[in-house]
Amino acid sequence: MKETEMKASLFCLQCNDDTPHSIIYINDEITSVRCEECQHTVSIQVDIMKEFYKEIYERVFTKPSRITQEYRQDLSHFLSRLPFRVASKPYRLMRDLNESRKLIQQYRNKKKSV
Ligand SMILES: [Zn+2]
């Protein structure tokens, strides 16, 4: 899960003008748009847990086609090797999960404070 910031010129209702805005994305979903002139912020409710699970699902279940071929060739052999393959990439996955967890925390806190 990734938070991305983008700058764009948009029309601000408060300033009644085109002003620079910063747009925050979680993955591909826009979560907030802030006017940099008056700081007026429009937040868009992102289902952060949905994004999180979607990402986990894609990461865990969208296997490279190589695995699918092996799976077709020999199911039992594939299954006996699976734990090792899953264990071979835990570092990256865990690091991403930690980042995602941090973001979820931030968003939960944000919700509470509103
Ligand atoms: Zn503004």
Side-chain angles (χ1 to χ4, degrees):
M1 194 137 62
K2 221 173 75 194
E3 192 178 65
T4 317
E5 186 172 349
M6 236 187 69
K7 306 280 182 191
S9 182
L10 294 169
F11 186 81
C12 174
L13 288 169
Q14 304 285 311
C15 302
N16 203 25
D17 201 1
D18 282 329
T19 58
H21 283 68
S22 78
I23 304 163
I24 312 288
Y25 292 84
I26 295 282
N27 291 346
D28 295 326
E29 307 278 338
I30 293 179
T31 160
S32 76
V33 181
R34 191 184 73 234
C35 170
E36 299 202 327
E37 295 293 319
C38 69
Q39 304 303 313
H40 178 70
T41 305
V42 178
S43 295
I44 293 136
Q45 199 73 278
V46 172
D47 191 340
I48 193 93
M49 291 316 288
K50 198 184 87 190
E51 286 300 307
F52 180 63
Y53 286 125
K54 199 170 75 186
E55 181 168 296
I56 298 297
Y57 182 83
E58 280 166 8
R59 203 173 284 261
V60 174
F61 295 102
T62 311
K63 300 284 189 186
S65 59
R66 187 166 57 91
I67 294 181
T68 314
Q69 282 163 16
E70 284 175 21
Y71 176 85
R72 286 205 195 104
Q73 276 168 14
D74 187 344
L75 177 63
S76 60
H77 187 53
F78 168 76
L79 286 178
S80 72
R81 284 172 59 193
L82 189 59
F84 298 102
R85 180 157 296 136
V86 171
S88 72
K89 60 167 191 176
Y91 173 70
R92 212 187 110 74
L93 185 62
M94 283 316 291
R95 198 188 53 193
D96 287 0
L97 285 183
N98 283 337
E99 276 172 24
S100 299
R101 206 170 290 144
K102 264 184 239 158
L103 274 174
I104 289 167
Q105 215 77 58
Q106 279 174 24
Y107 272 76
R108 288 221 168 124
N109 291 341
K110 232 182 255 178
K111 260 186 208 166
K112 263 183 227 156
S113 64
V114 169

